[in-house]
Amino acid sequence: FTAFRKNDNWHECITEDRKIFILDYLDITKDFHDVGEPIKKISDKLKNGIAIIGLQKVPGRDMGLGGYRTLDKARLYLSMDWGRIKITDVKAPKEKGIREKIRRFEIDDRGSHFVPLTDWITEDEEKAAGLK
């Protein structure tokens, strides 16, 4: 793969010959409500590829900085806290009831593999199991 160091205009890296684009951190330092604009530019430039975009978020909250503006173009929106991942939103899910499901995990000793600790469960099931 090819790695780029980029601080803005991320959409400029998107080309038709590449299919997967990983932006490990979309750096928005002010006017968080404007985060939808670079996400839209990325989405508009994609043809047959996908973009995985990392956003900072407040621990315990489901949405990245920029709030609901970060949901507009996302086909799948995952929120992560340490040891927990949640399907915050998904467009046209194949499985009913998948939104809002949670999975607990740990990271193995190598620091590179997620080890599931639970199946995909609801928040109520998480609370009943004493996990929250």
Side-chain angles (χ1 to χ4, degrees):
F1 72 93
T2 304
F4 299 93
R5 183 166 183 83
K6 198 101 167 107
N7 292 325
D8 57 11
N9 296 318
W10 301 273
H11 64 283
E12 293 173 356
C13 294
I14 295 174
T15 60
E16 288 189 34
D17 61 319
R18 293 189 180 96
K19 301 300 178 201
I20 301 173
F21 303 90
I22 301 172
L23 288 76
D24 68 344
Y25 177 54
L26 191 67
D27 189 17
I28 305 293
T29 57
K30 61 182 181 174
D31 299 326
F32 300 122
H33 59 277
D34 290 338
V35 71
E37 183 64 26
I39 293 172
K40 182 180 182 320
K41 285 181 179 179
I42 292 164
S43 176
D44 289 349
K45 191 115 183 248
L46 288 169
K47 300 291 182 219
N48 297 316
I50 64 167
I52 300 166
I53 303 172
L55 296 171
Q56 291 292 85
K57 70 178 201 62
V58 175
R61 291 195 183 164
D62 290 338
M63 302 224 189
L65 296 175
Y68 284 98
R69 295 291 298 150
T70 63
L71 284 174
D72 289 346
K73 295 294 180 183
R75 307 302 300 154
L76 175 64
Y77 197 107
L78 303 172
S79 301
M80 293 180 74
D81 284 307
W82 188 253
R84 182 178 191 261
I85 187 167
K86 180 178 182 181
I87 301 170
T88 302
D89 192 27
V90 59
K91 308 253 186 336
K94 292 186 179 206
E95 181 182 327
K96 281 190 166 208
I98 194 71
R99 278 187 190 94
E100 305 286 316
K101 291 274 181 114
I102 296 153
R103 188 165 213 179
R104 291 291 183 147
F105 65 89
E106 64 184 11
I107 299 175
D108 73 0
D109 293 336
R110 295 172 287 187
S112 59
H113 290 83
F114 289 75
V115 179
L117 299 176
T118 67
D119 287 327
W120 290 99
I121 58 176
T122 65
E123 285 188 322
D124 289 341
E125 292 168 325
E126 182 184 42
K127 288 176 189 171
L131 298 172
K132 188 167 183 178

